[in-house]
Every structure is written in structure tokens, then in C-alpha cells.
Amino acid sequence: MGFFGREKIPVPPHPRREPRIDLPLCLESLEQVFDGCVDFSHRAVDLGGDPAKKLTLCYIGGMVRMERVSDYVLRPLAQDKALAVGNLAGAIGRIRDGALYNLSVEERTTMDEAVFDLIGGNCLLLFPGESVCLSFNTGTEEKRSVSEPENEPPLKGPRDSFVESIRTNTSLVRRRLRAPSLKIKELLVGRQTVTPVDILWIEGLTNPELVKAVEQRIDAIDIDALIATGNLEEYIVDDLHTPFPLVATTERPDRFTAGVVEGRVGILVDGLPLGWLVPGTISQFFKTPQDKAQSWMVASMLTVLRYLCMLTTLFLPALYIAAVTFHPEMLPTKLTLSIIAAKQDVPFTSIFEVLILLIAFEIIQEAGLRLPGSIGQTVSILGGLVVGSAAVEARIVSPAVLIVVAIAGIAGYTMPSQDLAGALRLWRFLLALCASVGGLFGIAAGAAALVFHLAGIESFGVAYLTPFAANAGEQVEGRTVLRQPLPKAKLREAALKIRNRRNQK
């Protein structure tokens, strides 16, 4: 029995049939599979007027480029006189060995291979009485052009970003990482979508156990569709019960390539303009590509600033609640009197004020993200006026609370990773609730729970708090927060257990 006395509904099985299409490879089977599909087309191809050599060309409209089919497949078939001479087996061998102009030709013997080639943009050439067909790559390759990254704006660096085409994305990586040791392995995920997923690593550098673990987890994904990022991330991470990101995502090929060179494993998914890097550690989400494009002193200062902003966005609202409600002796006398004078006409407690403003801040941010650009700006301005000056003038909240919440919110925007910023916002609420219950003691307990939670997380066998927490007692060389001058950074991260830690002379 389930909740409220209801009987639990049994979960039906999810069998996977192999082969998926158990039919002979012929035109009638293809017509049966694509029955009701208006974009499926086929036409007869005549070889020398011999009815025994009447071939059939099959394709899906919109998935193939018509001029490629006409110029690289149909025209050679019509012009090559040698194909009309001899038997059909000889014609098949001649086409397979390069009689046509097409760059790629594959021999298919099963319906599964033939159907998925059609869906992928290939055209098929069927031969009468033969249980084999030839597949030609004539895809349209229509895609969004490479443009500047929107969520990770470059200040000093390349201005291209990943697109929805996986082959374009691998080419962007290849242009930066020209080493032949860069390996790319492709897996298919999703029973219905059959989405290509590429795994990228550097042979001889990346830990082979890490590559094997990534491959096994992706291969074990058995879902109907891989369309959203969560369809990949939530199936490969070590712990689902944490708001903190365990894999790093980026839309910038330069950052993706830098992670692969560090010894991480990269993941690219067809249809998603993002790249994933595993394992993900806490320090990785505080770094930006600009850190290595600026002076090491400026980069170190900005990194320290990000960590300070992280502490500010987490603890400032909680510290305000604790100081005003439980420990007023912490504040200077003049500041305490100013806060008391501002709160005289406010009917709510400080705890309620902070929580209401934090919720209002989240609502305004969510509304600005979901609406179109022009309307979103209007909502942001209107929300700022209502939540800001109007709320203070109406004596609904005090000015000090508004300042505290605004500082905490702005500090959260300095996080390079929006996934990390979302986790910090959630814990900001939890720490504020802890402060409302126990003051500074509640904040200390909440902070201890946060550290305990982070210390228990791993990403592909690597401690999440690396490099602040060593792996298996192994010390971490180099600086953890302050960046070294690049000529002095001789070693890669020890926690990744890579084969060659030396990265320069």
C-alpha cells in the first residue's frame, strides 16, 4: 500500500528488442517502416535499360541535400557505361569500390543499419534480389552558424561557441587540439532519438579508468529520448541528492579544450550546444577562461574576490538575521540604533523581512529569464521599483534588509557557473532559516552541515572539495586559490590521476 491507503501501481517492464526492426532488407520493408511518413521517398534508377538492373534510390526529404544526390549518385550511375555491362554483383562491387563520386559509401546488411542511415541523412541504393544495400552520405548539414557565446562572454579570447551539430563541435575542438592522440568515441543514447554522444580524451594522458567509467555510465543510459541536458547529467553523476553541479558545462570550445588537456574527459551531445567536462570539482566552477589571459596577480585577486562573494551571498542574510534578532551586541551602537529606528514602523520581524525579500528576488529573476528580452527588462525595472523604493516607503521592509538582500544577490552573480550560483541560492535560504532558529549557533550548525555535505561528494572518484581536500592523503602541489605565473605551473592536477602530470619544460 502507498500513501493515503492507495495501492501502488506496478511498474511495467521496459524490454528492448534486438534487432529493433526484424524485417528483411528490401524496399517493401522500408515502405512498411515508414508507412504514413510523407517525407519518405524512393525512385527507380535505370542501368543500361536492363530490367534486371533496375535499382531503387531511397531517401527522406529534408534530410538529404538534393544536389548532392543528383550530382554524386544519380549522374555517375547514368553516365558510367561500365556499370551497364556485366552482372549485378559486378556493378555492386564497382560502386562500392568508388565508381561514384560520393566521399562516403557503406555497405548495409540489416534493416536497423539502413533505417538509421536514412534518418541520419543518408540515401540508400537498393539492388533487386540482393539482401544488401549501399548507403551514401548526402546529409544537408544545415545548422546554426558559429557565433559568440551568450552565457560566457569572452573578454580576451576567441569568440566562437558550440552549436547544435556534433560534427561542427568536434571540428572546433580539433582546430585547437591538433594532436593525433585526441580520441573521439561515439555512443548512441535513447531508444527513440538514437542521439550520438561523443567522448573525447587524450590517449596517453587521461586516466584510462576515468575514460572507461564515463563510457560505461553513458552506455548504461536506457531512456527513450536524450533531448535536455538533464537527460545526460543526472544519469552519469555520482550523487543526485545535491544541488551542487558535479559536471562542468561550457559553451566555449577553448575552455572545453583546456579541460581535456588538463586530463579531464569531455562529452559532446548532438543537438545540444554545450560541452561537458568530468570530473567536476569545486575549484573548477570558480575559474574562467580569462584567468589565463590576464596577469597572474589580477587573476588571483579576481579569484579571491569570487570566493569572498561566495561567502557573502551564502552568509550575509543569515548573519543579519542572527545579529539583529539574537546578538545585537555584535553591531556597533550607532548602527544598532539606526536599524531600530528604521524598523519602528515596519510590522514584520527581521526574519520575515529577509525571507520575503529573498523570495521576491528569486521571483523577479525567474520572471526576467522566462520573458522575452524587451519585456524582461521592463519586469526587472518594475520589480526593482516595487521591491525597492516602494516597499521601503510603504514601511513593509526596512532599508537595511533591502541593502543586505541586494548585496547578497549581486554577490551571487559573480559566480562563473550558473549551476553553482543556483546551489548557493538554495543554501542561502537554508542558512537564513538556521539563523532564524538558533542565531550564530544555527549558522555554525548550517555551515558544518554544508561542509559535511560537500566533503561527502565525489565526482568520478575525485573528491568534490579538491584541491582543498586531498585525495587519499595525497598532497596537492601548487596554489589552490592564487594562480601561479604560468611558466612556474609545471604540473597538472594530481587528483585526476593522469598518466603524465608534467605539462611543460
Side-chain angles (χ1 to χ4, degrees), residues 236-401:
I236 65 173
V237 296
D238 294 75
D239 190 357
L240 289 174
H241 302 93
T242 177
F244 289 91
L246 298 182
V247 293
T249 60
T250 179
E251 59 179 350
R252 296 184 54 170
D254 57 337
R255 184 182 178 187
F256 182 87
T257 306
V260 173
V261 173
E262 288 175 358
R264 303 182 190 274
V265 174
I267 303 173
L268 296 173
V269 179
D270 192 34
L272 296 177
L274 293 172
W276 287 262
L277 292 170
V278 296
T281 57
I282 190 69
S283 62
Q284 190 179 6
F285 299 103
F286 286 90
K287 297 177 181 178
T288 65
Q290 283 75 31
D291 289 343
K292 292 186 178 181
Q294 297 175 332
S295 166
W296 67 272
M297 290 182 285
V298 175
S300 299
M301 179 193 67
L302 293 178
T303 305
V304 171
L305 180 63
R306 293 186 201 114
Y307 280 98
L308 292 178
C309 288
M310 180 266 293
L311 297 176
T312 301
T313 191
L314 268 179
F315 292 102
L316 185 59
L319 287 173
Y320 176 83
I321 293 174
V324 173
T325 307
F326 296 95
H327 312 284
E329 67 277 3
M330 292 176 53
L331 303 175
T333 304
K334 291 185 178 181
L335 180 58
T336 304
L337 294 176
S338 176
I339 293 175
I340 293 174
K343 282 182 59 64
Q344 284 182 352
D345 297 328
V346 176
F348 305 113
T349 62
S350 298
I351 299 171
F352 188 77
E353 287 181 84
V354 172
L355 292 179
I356 286 296
L357 275 184
L358 287 176
I359 294 174
F361 185 82
E362 296 296 329
I363 292 174
I364 295 173
Q365 178 175 324
E366 191 69 14
L369 288 174
R370 298 291 170 261
L371 291 173
S374 57
I375 304 177
Q377 294 177 2
T378 305
V379 170
S380 301
I381 296 172
L382 181 61
L385 293 175
V386 172
V387 178
S389 59
V392 172
E393 292 176 2
R395 302 296 183 182
I396 296 177
V397 296
S398 61
V401 173

Side-chain angles (χ1 to χ4, degrees), residues 205 261-262 292 476-479 482-494 498-505:
L205 174 65
V261 173
E262 288 175 358
K292 292 186 178 181
V476 179
E477 291 83 358
R479 309 291 178 86
L482 303 178
R483 179 174 82 76
Q484 289 180 306
L486 292 180
K488 294 185 178 180
K490 304 291 185 182
L491 302 177
R492 299 182 178 92
E493 257 187 86
I498 53 182
R499 290 185 171 184
N500 179 18
R501 290 196 57 203
R502 189 84 179 202
N503 62 9
Q504 59 179 316
K505 185 175 180 182

Side-chain angles (χ1 to χ4, degrees), residues 196-251:
V197 178
D198 284 3
I199 304 172
L200 294 84
W201 76 96
I202 298 180
E203 187 73 26
L205 174 65
T206 310
N207 182 7
E209 296 297 325
L210 174 61
V211 177
K212 184 179 179 181
V214 174
E215 182 181 345
Q216 289 176 346
R217 295 189 190 187
I218 294 178
D219 191 49
I221 300 176
D222 189 7
I223 57 178
D224 281 342
L226 198 166
I227 298 175
T229 57
N231 296 139
L232 176 72
E233 294 177 7
E234 295 192 11
Y235 285 88
I236 65 173
V237 296
D238 294 75
D239 190 357
L240 289 174
H241 302 93
T242 177
F244 289 91
L246 298 182
V247 293
T249 60
T250 179
E251 59 179 350

Side-chain angles (χ1 to χ4, degrees), residues 81-97:
K81 303 300 182 182
L83 293 175
V85 180
N87 56 16
L88 188 60
I92 296 175
R94 181 170 172 79
I95 295 174
R96 184 180 57 240
D97 295 339

